[in-house]
Amino acid sequence: MSDTDQAEGGAAEGGAAPKGKLKLIIAAVAVVGILGLGTATWYMFFRGHGEEVHAEAAPPVKPSIFIEVPEMLVNLVGAPGERVQYLKAKIVIEVKEEKQAEAIKPTMPRITDVFQTYLRELRAADLNGSAGLFRLKEETRRVNTAVSPSQVNAVLFKEIVVQ
């Protein structure tokens, strides 16, 4: 064999090697792609069909019950010689259940007394701004003491007029 024959045989082997590697890479990519598509199909169509979890419906929320307190008109504390100022308030009490409302209604005179006593001690300056109204709303504790063992959720003000 001559050198040219060896060179031609080497070139033929060298040319076949890159073509074989390219075919191997293409085949590997095709296998990985097929496996990926198979896995995606399995997740989309077959995974968890018998194991579906449904969210439980939340129990229906009972609406609160509101009890109207009779409208109140009280004079506010002022310095001697100042003009007398008045406070007019419409108050509503919020409870959770109807049976609590029925238990509280007979104690309405006691609730009115608690509010009258507290409101008569206020000055007009005590009611200025949202902080003053917030302090009034915090009187739930006084009302709860008056209606014990029943429980009041909130004291709501429908109308407040200082004149």
Side-chain angles (χ1 to χ4, degrees):
M1 231 165 114
S2 71
D3 288 336
T4 54
D5 290 338
Q6 287 180 352
E8 287 177 10
E13 288 177 13
K19 287 183 181 178
K21 286 183 181 179
L22 182 62
K23 287 181 182 179
L24 183 63
I25 291 173
I26 291 173
V29 168
V31 168
V32 169
I34 291 171
L35 287 175
L37 284 173
T39 303
T41 303
W42 182 79
Y43 271 105
M44 288 175 54
F45 294 111
F46 301 113
R47 182 173 178 244
H49 270 291
E51 305 168 11
E52 291 182 15
V53 177
H54 297 284
E56 292 182 20
V61 178
K62 293 182 180 178
S64 296
I65 308 297
F66 298 99
I67 305 168
E68 298 255 348
V69 176
E71 184 177 304
M72 290 182 229
L73 180 63
V74 296
N75 55 336
L76 298 172
V77 173
E82 281 186 354
R83 174 176 73 89
V84 177
Q85 290 186 306
Y86 297 96
L87 169 70
K88 178 182 173 184
K90 290 184 182 177
I91 302 170
V92 177
I93 297 173
E94 179 183 0
V95 294
K96 287 184 181 179
E97 298 175 352
E98 184 68 36
K99 58 184 170 183
Q100 286 180 333
E102 294 303 321
I104 289 175
K105 284 181 183 177
T107 63
M108 194 57 66
R110 188 176 297 148
I111 294 169
T112 304
D113 179 60
V114 166
F115 276 115
Q116 288 275 347
T117 306
Y118 176 71
L119 293 175
R120 286 180 185 272
E121 292 296 320
L122 294 176
R123 297 182 304 269
D126 294 336
L127 299 171
N128 286 342
S130 62
L133 294 178
F134 183 74
R135 269 185 257 126
L136 283 177
K137 286 177 141 299
E138 292 299 311
E139 291 310 306
T140 306
R141 180 183 48 84
R142 291 179 192 256
V143 176
N144 279 332
T145 302
V147 299
S148 184
S150 296
Q151 195 73 14
V152 171
N153 289 351
V155 174
L156 308 170
F157 291 90
K158 289 176 68 175
E159 182 180 340
I160 295 180
V161 178
V162 177
Q163 189 175 23

